[in-house]
């Protein structure tokens, strides 16, 4: 029997494993993030009673595969629910046959809703076989033009201004995510009304020229703000184009066009409706690819 398929052990990722898993992901998944950055990204800034940080594969003392997870406790239609975000997944080629073991270990955890917000390649078809449903991710490409802001529109970026502008759930979400490595926070004020936005820098075809909207608290206010939020992403974060999913941001502004092949996002749950699946408390806020 080949030694390549012998002695590959599966285990939860514990706090003590973070360093080894981070080094593995730096070397084999995304070298743009240092091992230290991967280690910081793998532990989310919000408070949650998580059973693990995902699962890993080991052969002897060597990590040969890893599947990160981000856990959170959410309230959906007034009921508390536990959520598991399936995040970075990497298995060495010679051990690829063991990759599905990582997915099945994750999904064997009971009483969780599962979301996979960045499946790629054959992961989409694997997820379908495992019972995942695809979300409607129709996405507008918005050019981040330096157009003048409408009268009465302001974009708040200073932490103390954001805190002062937010209340209730929005303030809680901000405090949970303000230290998340990939999250870009700002508040759009249109007259007396506010919209809290979380965006992230993104890549397409290897080019770091994009931003994506991860969370929009009030799409109607965002629409009334015109191009001010997109001007902000250009001038502050050097993003030339914003990807604005309709399910996140609502109606796109003028001059935008729909993306021909938006990225897939998927979920598996016995209770959640698509409308209840958002992108908070996930790798989209924590991992700056």
């Amino acid at each position: 029997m080949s030694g390549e398929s012998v002695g590959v052990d599966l285990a939860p990722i514990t706090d003590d494993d973070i360093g080894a898993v981070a080094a593995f992901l730096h070397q084999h998944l995304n070298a743009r993030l240092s091992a230290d950055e991967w280690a910081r990204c793998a532990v989310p800034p919000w408070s949650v009673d998580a059973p693990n940080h995902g699962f890993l594969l080991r052969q002897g003392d060597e990590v040969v595969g890893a599947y990160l997870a981000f856990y959170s406790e959410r309230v959906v239609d007034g009921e508390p629910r536990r959520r598991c975000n399936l995040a970075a997944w990497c298995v060495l080629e010679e051990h690829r046959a063991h990759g599905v073991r990582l997915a099945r270990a994750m999904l064997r955890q009971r009483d969780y809703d599962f979301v996979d917000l960045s499946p790629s390649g054959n992961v989409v078809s694997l997820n379908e076989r495992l019972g995942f449903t695809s979300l409607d991710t129709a996405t507008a490409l918005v050019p981040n033009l330096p157009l003048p802001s409408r009268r009465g529109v302001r974009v708040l970026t200073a932490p103390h201004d954001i805190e002062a502008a937010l209340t209730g759930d929005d303030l809680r979400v901000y405090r949970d995510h303000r230290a998340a490595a990939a999250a870009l926070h700002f508040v759009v004020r249109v007259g007396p009304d506010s919209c809290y936005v979380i965006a992230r820098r993104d890549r397409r075809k290897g080019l770091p020229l994009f931003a994506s909207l991860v969370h929009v608290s009030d799409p109607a206010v965002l629409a009334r703000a015109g191009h001010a939020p997109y001007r902000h992403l250009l001038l502050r974060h050097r993003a030339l184009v914003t990807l604005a999913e309709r399910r996140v941001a609502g109606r796109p502004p003028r001059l935008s066009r729909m993306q021909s092949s938006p990225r897939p996002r998927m979920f598996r749950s016995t209770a959640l409706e698509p409308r209840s699946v958002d992108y908070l408390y996930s790798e989209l806020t924590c991992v700056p690819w």
Side-chain angles (χ1 to χ4, degrees):
M1 184 178 292
S2 169
E4 291 179 351
S5 59
V6 173
V8 176
D9 299 318
L10 182 146
I13 300 172
T14 68
D15 291 345
D16 293 339
D17 299 317
I18 288 293
V21 169
F24 173 81
L25 294 173
H26 164 71
Q27 182 176 357
H28 298 288
L29 182 62
N30 189 335
R32 287 191 297 269
L33 296 182
S34 69
D36 285 344
E37 287 171 324
W38 269 115
R40 289 193 294 272
C41 293
V43 181
W46 53 84
S47 176
V48 62
D49 183 17
N52 50 62
H53 299 287
F55 289 84
L56 59 78
L57 296 169
R58 272 202 182 97
Q59 188 171 52
D61 294 330
E62 180 185 3
V63 175
V64 298
Y67 205 167
L68 288 184
F70 295 95
Y71 296 90
S72 59
E73 295 184 0
R74 313 296 304 278
V75 176
V76 178
D77 295 333
E79 296 293 328
R81 298 193 64 85
R82 299 193 297 174
R83 189 169 299 185
C84 174
N85 164 224
L86 312 183
W89 187 7
C90 181
V91 181
L92 295 185
E93 184 64 36
E94 59 267 32
H95 300 291
R96 192 59 55 88
H98 292 274
V100 71
R101 294 174 61 196
L102 290 170
R104 292 191 183 281
M106 202 84 79
L107 297 175
R108 277 197 298 268
Q109 300 180 108
R110 300 183 62 182
D111 301 323
Y112 281 96
D113 300 314
F114 296 93
V115 296
D116 189 345
L117 303 179
S118 53
S120 59
N122 58 8
V123 175
V124 173
S125 58
L126 172 63
N127 280 353
E128 289 173 345
R129 293 196 298 272
L130 293 173
F132 279 76
T133 299
S134 292
L135 294 167
D136 178 1
T137 57
T139 300
L141 299 171
V142 185
N144 295 339
L145 301 175
L147 299 175
S149 296
R150 295 175 179 175
R151 177 174 296 181
V153 176
R154 299 173 59 208
V155 177
L156 309 179
T157 60
H160 64 275
D161 289 336
I162 293 175
E163 288 244 3
L166 300 180
T167 59
D169 288 343
D170 288 340
L171 182 57
R172 176 182 53 78
V173 168
Y174 171 68
R175 288 173 173 169
D176 283 346
H177 289 82
R178 60 187 165 190
L184 310 174
H185 306 273
F186 58 95
V187 170
V188 181
R189 296 293 299 269
V190 182
D193 301 321
S194 296
C195 173
Y196 171 41
V197 179
I198 300 178
R200 59 171 282 122
R201 292 295 302 273
D202 233 326
R203 290 176 177 266
R204 290 296 185 273
K205 298 182 179 179
L207 299 175
L209 304 176
F210 298 83
S212 294
L213 300 184
V214 176
H215 172 70
V216 174
S217 69
D218 193 329
V221 174
L222 184 75
R224 287 166 51 206
H227 273 274
Y230 309 100
R231 180 177 184 270
H232 163 74
L233 290 168
L234 170 68
L235 300 181
R236 175 65 68 91
H237 301 291
R238 302 187 300 281
L240 301 183
V241 176
T242 294
L243 293 96
E245 286 188 34
R246 185 166 52 199
R247 66 188 312 274
V248 173
R251 176 173 57 86
R254 62 187 178 89
L255 304 180
S256 62
R257 65 178 179 83
M258 298 308 293
Q259 187 179 18
S260 58
S261 299
R263 284 188 170 174
R265 309 197 194 278
M266 310 179 79
F267 75 104
R268 191 178 96 159
S269 170
T270 59
L272 287 186
E273 297 292 333
R275 64 177 174 78
S276 300
V277 180
D278 59 30
Y279 305 154
L280 295 170
Y281 301 90
S282 74
E283 87 272 20
L284 297 186
T285 63
C286 289
V287 184
W289 301 317

